[in-house]
Amino acid sequence: METSEPLARPTVDLHRIADAVRQIIEAIGEDPGRPGLADTPRRIADLYAEMFAGLREDPLVLLQRTFPEPHQEMVILRQIPFYSLCEHHFVPFFGQAHVGYVPKGQIVGASKIARLVDVLARRPQVQERLTSQIADYLMEGLRPQGVAVVVEAEHLCMSMRGIKKPGSVLVTSAVRGVFRGSGVTRSEFLALVRGSAS
Ligand code: ZN
């Protein structure tokens, strides 16, 4: 299963990123020595270390601490803001994730769900995979009756280059377990998520 990937990844090599950025600056015909650009390689190295920190975190660790709870109704955390970098262009896509699950004997702190979204967003990503990974990790870590995820995001690689359609929002969804089997449960989730639209 995709969620069981090993996490033996080396730490970020900041010097190597900085060297590469210096080369990019030269390659576009700019002067890496001019004052405004002199610290840019180091800044970008720090930025990438932060934006890709999720590569060195195991999402399942976040879900280890759960609380026994007989509640069997839907739990939804909506409007979770996230920022990610698309793996095709390394430019941001960002928006909101809405995550719902139906517990089966245990619940997890809401902040852990938000952290899960963050850890998975801070990797080179595509929105479709981000969406299904959120669902799959929750299924694996929490073992609920089901999970539903909707992600809405604007992609700067689409807004600022290429076909230039600023404001377009890509919507992706993933449903697992009881959400997949029951149209009523799915509709309840979507109605509660839409209730947030303002
Ligand atoms: Zn892109």
Side-chain angles (χ1 to χ4, degrees), residues 86 88-89 91 157:
C86 95
H88 301 138
H89 303 93
V91 296
C157 59

Side-chain angles (χ1 to χ4, degrees), residues 138-150:
L138 268 174
M139 284 300 282
E140 191 176 337
L142 194 55
R143 308 234 169 254
Q145 294 181 52
V147 172
V149 180
V150 170

Side-chain angles (χ1 to χ4, degrees), residues 47-141:
L47 176 73
Y48 278 3
E50 188 177 337
M51 291 307 301
F52 296 135
L55 285 171
R56 285 163 306 284
E57 285 189 68
D58 182 352
L60 288 176
V61 171
L62 291 170
L63 303 173
Q64 273 172 357
R65 187 169 156 75
T66 58
F67 306 95
E69 171 58 57
H71 185 76
Q72 300 242 344
E73 308 301 324
M74 197 177 299
V75 178
I76 296 179
L77 188 61
R78 66 188 185 195
Q79 294 178 303
I80 307 164
F82 74 89
Y83 295 84
S84 188
L85 290 182
C86 95
E87 67 185 17
H88 301 138
H89 303 93
F90 273 24
V91 296
F93 70 96
F94 57 95
Q96 297 182 332
H98 314 283
V99 178
Y101 69 100
V102 177
K104 190 165 65 187
Q106 51 184 357
I107 56 172
V108 69
S111 66
K112 297 296 193 297
I113 296 176
R115 281 277 298 132
L116 174 70
V117 171
D118 228 27
V119 164
L120 293 170
R122 284 168 183 246
R123 302 168 172 205
Q125 270 291 11
V126 297
Q127 184 178 330
E128 292 83 349
R129 189 173 63 232
L130 173 65
T131 308
S132 53
Q133 282 182 338
I134 295 167
D136 289 336
Y137 275 110
L138 268 174
M139 284 300 282
E140 191 176 337

